Amino acid sequence: MASVSLRDVAARANVSFQTVSKVLNGKGAVAPATRQRIIEAAEEIGYIPNALARSLQSRSSLTLGVITVDFSNTTPAQFLVGIEHEARRHGLSVILSSLEPDGSDCARYLRVLMERRVDGIIMNAPATEEDEEVGRLLRAGPACVSFHDIAGGGVPIVQPASEGTAALPVRHLLSLGHRRIAMVTGYQRRHSAQRRTAVYRAVLAEHGLPYDPLLVEDGGWEVEGGYAATHRLLDRAPGITAIYVQNDLMAVGVLNALHERGLSVPDDCSVVGCDDHPVVARTIPPLTTVSVPFFDAGAAAVRLLLDRIASGNTMPEDVFLPVSMIYRASTASAPSGE
């Protein structure tokens, strides 16, 4: 079946080809009644704009590139939904590239996106935080924003406020009387884990409590890592009464390990996570956690990127999104004698 052209729409609406072009390409003034007649005619006969022709005319691909960690995980998936919805609202398409866990294919994907002449790039690739080649490519390429640090800087960042993701849960546990507060971290080589660890230390210091490395374990962001980290913590520090976990997936493993050890949550040990992953409202007990606005972060990244494109790739301010505590049944006052 032959595709429907602008001339077909013009014939249907009984106007000139030039008038149809003005309306459907968003250029030039046309009387409102005429504009409505053209739009209705285009819908009736199934006109689909030629994206290639439009991009050649506007010198824009009308496409954003997104490079991300495995988006089968719920957290990056929420970022992506926010990105796609906001891009669609602005009439843009999205090309997704999912990286290997170590990010080793990131530079190759960047070159592919640049060859496709995408208008801008959004990065969600924490494994590339120290990759100098990736940093050079991003600074030399189209406008870019990132959810994580970029080697060498030069790229604006959209992130939840680290102060909130660590300070809120630790202060909550302190307010309940806990003093032996352990922490299960993500990969400590990741900047986000380092920032949350620094805030954890600072909040303890505010309350006159020393930082004890025996109370800190790396759980690698995954359920099994949180499970194994908890067993290691309890083996060497059995007096722990609370655990702050840097993400909810690890917290699921923490809850399981505590159960295996015969410890009741929260009577023997309180647990706080971070992310408000959908599953943790149904853990036993339901998990107290920090709600992080991943969808909003995705939408904010698109808006920041479009601002950067419009300003000629200059450097807008970083965006730090507020977070909030979600109080559930996994936390309680410290056991008597704490």
Side-chain angles (χ1 to χ4, degrees), residues 9-288:
V9 178
R12 179 72 168 223
N14 195 27
V15 297
S16 69
F17 168 83
Q18 291 81 0
T19 302
V20 170
S21 180
K22 285 180 182 180
V23 171
L24 297 184
N25 288 313
K27 296 182 177 180
V30 175
T34 303
R35 178 182 298 277
Q36 184 61 33
R37 191 162 79 249
I38 290 170
I39 291 171
E40 290 175 355
E43 292 176 349
E44 288 168 2
I45 64 176
Y47 172 74
I48 299 174
N50 186 322
L52 177 59
R54 288 172 62 194
S55 68
L56 290 172
Q57 187 178 55
S58 65
R59 297 185 179 180
S60 166
S61 68
L62 304 174
T63 303
L64 304 180
V66 178
I67 292 183
T68 181
V69 294
D70 178 11
F71 45 79
S72 64
N73 184 300
T74 300
T75 298
Q78 290 179 72
F79 279 128
L80 293 173
V81 173
I83 290 169
E84 200 279 329
H85 280 211
E86 187 68 12
R88 191 192 320 159
R89 200 171 69 83
H90 290 276
L92 301 170
S93 299
V94 174
I95 297 175
L96 297 178
S97 302
S98 178
L99 297 178
E100 294 293 333
D102 63 358
S104 58
D105 49 348
C106 186
R108 176 170 61 85
Y109 275 127
L110 278 173
R111 291 188 177 94
V112 169
L113 292 175
M114 291 172 185
E115 289 169 3
R116 296 288 186 93
R117 298 292 189 267
V118 296
D119 295 321
I121 294 172
I122 297 175
M123 295 286 293
N124 182 24
T128 68
E129 288 174 327
E130 305 292 340
D131 192 319
E132 296 291 344
E133 182 183 12
V134 167
R136 285 193 297 271
L137 285 170
L138 290 172
R139 285 186 291 276
C144 177
V145 301
S146 177
F147 295 119
H148 302 276
D149 294 345
I150 298 298
V155 174
I157 306 296
V158 177
Q159 287 180 341
S162 292
E163 284 291 320
T165 53
L168 288 177
V170 177
R171 288 193 175 120
H172 171 58
L173 293 171
L174 288 165
S175 74
L176 293 172
H178 295 279
R179 294 296 178 267
R180 293 280 286 170
I181 301 172
M183 177 173 61
V184 176
T185 75
Y187 289 125
Q188 271 296 308
R189 62 180 181 272
R190 297 284 187 262
H191 294 187
S192 60
Q194 293 168 14
R195 282 190 285 265
R196 293 180 188 185
T197 299
V199 172
Y200 161 85
R201 296 183 66 159
V203 173
L204 291 179
E206 288 172 6
H207 288 76
L209 297 174
Y211 172 75
D212 184 350
L214 294 179
L215 299 183
V216 178
E217 270 290 341
D218 189 325
W221 299 120
E222 300 295 336
V223 174
E224 288 302 317
Y227 169 84
T230 305
H231 281 296
R232 292 194 297 271
L233 285 169
L234 294 173
D235 285 343
R236 65 173 182 253
I240 290 167
T241 67
I243 304 176
Y244 158 53
V245 193
Q246 288 189 356
N247 82 352
D248 285 344
L249 287 179
M250 294 187 294
V252 171
V254 170
L255 292 172
N256 185 244
L258 290 169
H259 176 73
E260 282 192 0
R261 291 291 187 113
L263 296 173
S264 171
V265 177
D267 295 337
D268 298 317
C269 185
S270 290
V271 180
V272 182
C274 182
D275 289 348
D276 198 22
H277 189 292
V279 75
V280 300
R282 294 291 179 264
T283 54
I284 300 175
L287 185 70
T288 295

